[in-house]
Amino acid sequence: MKKTLLFLLLLFMGASAVLVSCKDDDDNDGGGSSSPVASASYVGGSPESSNARQVVGVGGYSFIYNDDDILSRISSSSTSSSVSYSITKDPYAVIEKGSSRYESTKISDFRFNSQGYIVSMRVAQLERDDDSYTDETVGQEEEVEVNTYNFSYNGAGQMTSVSVSYEETDLDEGEVAKGTASYSCSYEDGDLVALSSNATLTYKWEDVSYDEDGWHEETDEISEELTISSHYTQENTYMQNVQNLFDLPLFRIFGPLGWYGKGSKHLVKAYTEKTTYSESIDGETKTQTFKNSYTLSQAECDEDGFITYYTNIGTIEYK
């Protein structure tokens, strides 16, 4: 259990964002649609616009839409791909299956605003311990941990804040493993300029080899500040979302599709990161601070300004 929680903390360290005024908030309520909004998958305008293009593939995966322009299937063009996706209806859910036969990720309980951006969702890690796995039972394994996400956006459609709650669900009696995290970011003239995050995880576990008492309690806190030091001069014409600084689930799929809102007007080129990590076990606290600098890739675009390739996402195809 402890390894799982520390891994989650590392995920939080890879994300986030300085508080933003809410006066420009877009349609952020959770009372919208439980299935995707057709217009979200179009880049460059509404589906009726002559300039708009629909995203039909990302990184070797093809997107198939139903008659209502709702994403209904994701297929791989490579027989050697170790990751596959399936989509269920009523309720709408996306399931990611990795190389392990017994583990998958199920994203469900979607709420989309009127622009087609996700305002809330539930992410469950699933495992199966026996040999009863079949293609038909993918997504029906036992839940071992659950993350619930809520998102807000500004008037330009850019993500401004994220809140996350986490809980392990397959614990022994008396054990506790849960946490919360919040992220926020700020923009200037459409460009992302700063990000910050805070996360707290608490857990209680039994380990008789640790000392005579056996039961132990731990609280881990982590805060992070990212300062954008430079942007690429080439404009992100359609504000496509291809840089996963929030470390969001299935970003490779949901980002290019437009489900996570708009990206920075100019893509981030470099940023500095300061992380403070505090670990308290049975009342004894240790604190560490880390500072790092990073450089991100530039996007490849066609002559009309549509992004056609980005590192960690791959080729983006349009109809």
Side-chain angles (χ1 to χ4, degrees):
M1 178 179 69
K2 184 172 178 172
K3 289 183 178 179
T4 301
L5 288 165
L6 289 177
F7 175 72
L8 181 65
L9 273 176
L10 292 175
L11 291 182
F12 288 150
M13 291 173 67
S16 288
V18 160
L19 291 173
V20 180
S21 169
C22 294
K23 66 181 180 181
D24 292 327
D25 276 1
D26 193 9
D27 179 8
N28 291 319
D29 67 88
S33 172
S34 59
S35 61
V37 176
S39 60
S41 63
Y42 284 83
V43 178
S46 66
E48 296 77 21
S49 172
S50 60
N51 189 50
R53 298 184 189 177
Q54 187 177 36
V55 178
V56 295
V58 171
Y61 292 91
S62 298
F63 299 156
I64 294 89
Y65 299 88
N66 63 18
D67 292 340
D68 296 319
D69 255 356
I70 303 301
L71 181 67
S72 60
R73 187 160 61 91
I74 302 174
S75 63
S76 174
S77 58
S78 172
T79 57
S80 61
S81 176
S82 61
V83 179
S84 62
Y85 300 93
S86 59
I87 296 176
T88 63
K89 304 176 182 178
D90 300 324
Y92 193 91
V94 179
I95 301 167
E96 179 185 61
K97 187 72 178 176
S99 56
S100 171
R101 286 168 51 87
Y102 306 107
E103 297 179 0
S104 59
T105 300
K106 182 177 182 179
I107 303 183
S108 61
D109 294 359
F110 286 104
R111 303 305 298 178
F112 294 85
N113 67 13
S114 60
Q115 304 302 311
Y117 311 147
I118 300 173
V119 293
S120 63
M121 65 184 186
R122 184 179 189 270
V123 182
Q125 301 300 320
L126 310 176
E127 290 185 3
R128 181 181 296 279
D129 294 328
D130 54 35
D131 293 326
S132 59
Y133 169 82
T134 66
D135 290 340
E136 289 72 26
T137 61
V138 170
Q140 300 178 16
E141 300 91 337
E142 179 184 1
E143 290 185 352
V144 295
E145 61 184 64
V146 174
N147 293 270
T148 301
Y149 287 78
N150 290 277
F151 307 95
S152 293
Y153 304 85
N154 62 19
Q158 296 167 310
M159 189 176 292
T160 57
S161 66
V162 183
S163 63
V164 188
S165 64
Y166 164 83
E167 184 175 8
E168 279 197 47
T169 56
D170 66 335
L171 304 177
D172 294 332
E173 183 177 357
E175 291 186 332
V176 175
K178 59 183 179 180
T180 60
S182 61
Y183 313 89
S184 58
C185 58
S186 60
Y187 301 84
E188 292 181 2
D189 298 325
D191 287 335
L192 179 64
V193 294
L195 306 93
S196 66
S197 66
N198 291 280
T200 300
L201 292 173
T202 60
Y203 48 95
K204 181 179 181 180
W205 77 99
E206 185 177 22
D207 183 359
V208 293
S209 65
Y210 193 75
D211 64 22
E212 294 180 358
D213 179 34
W215 283 97
H216 309 279
E217 296 184 5
E218 178 171 347
T219 299
D220 293 333
E221 297 182 353
I222 186 166
S223 62
E224 184 178 46
E225 295 182 3
L226 276 69
T227 302
I228 310 304
S229 52
S230 63
H231 296 81
Y232 284 99
T233 56
Q234 177 181 329
E235 184 175 345
N236 183 7
T237 307
Y238 302 105
M239 297 173 68
Q240 291 177 258
N241 200 348
V242 294
Q243 293 182 317
N244 189 16
L245 292 177
F246 276 106
D247 196 30
L248 301 174
L250 266 67
F251 183 88
R252 184 183 182 188
I253 302 296
F254 296 169
L257 270 175
W259 290 8
Y260 283 140
K262 301 290 187 180
S264 180
K265 186 176 181 180
H266 295 86
L267 293 181
V268 174
K269 181 177 182 180
Y271 67 92
T272 58
E273 174 187 78
K274 178 182 178 181
T275 303
T276 301
Y277 172 67
S278 176
E279 178 186 71
S280 178
I281 302 178
D282 298 335
E284 183 178 344
T285 302
K286 297 180 180 179
T287 301
Q288 302 179 73
T289 299
F290 308 92
K291 293 183 179 181
N292 295 286
S293 298
Y294 300 93
T295 300
L296 303 181
S297 300
Q298 169 65 302
E300 296 180 15
C301 302
D302 64 16
E303 59 183 8
D304 296 317
F306 291 89
I307 295 178
T308 57
Y309 180 85
Y310 191 77
T311 304
N312 298 328
I313 287 181
T315 300
I316 302 177
E317 300 174 281
Y318 306 90
K319 181 173 70 174

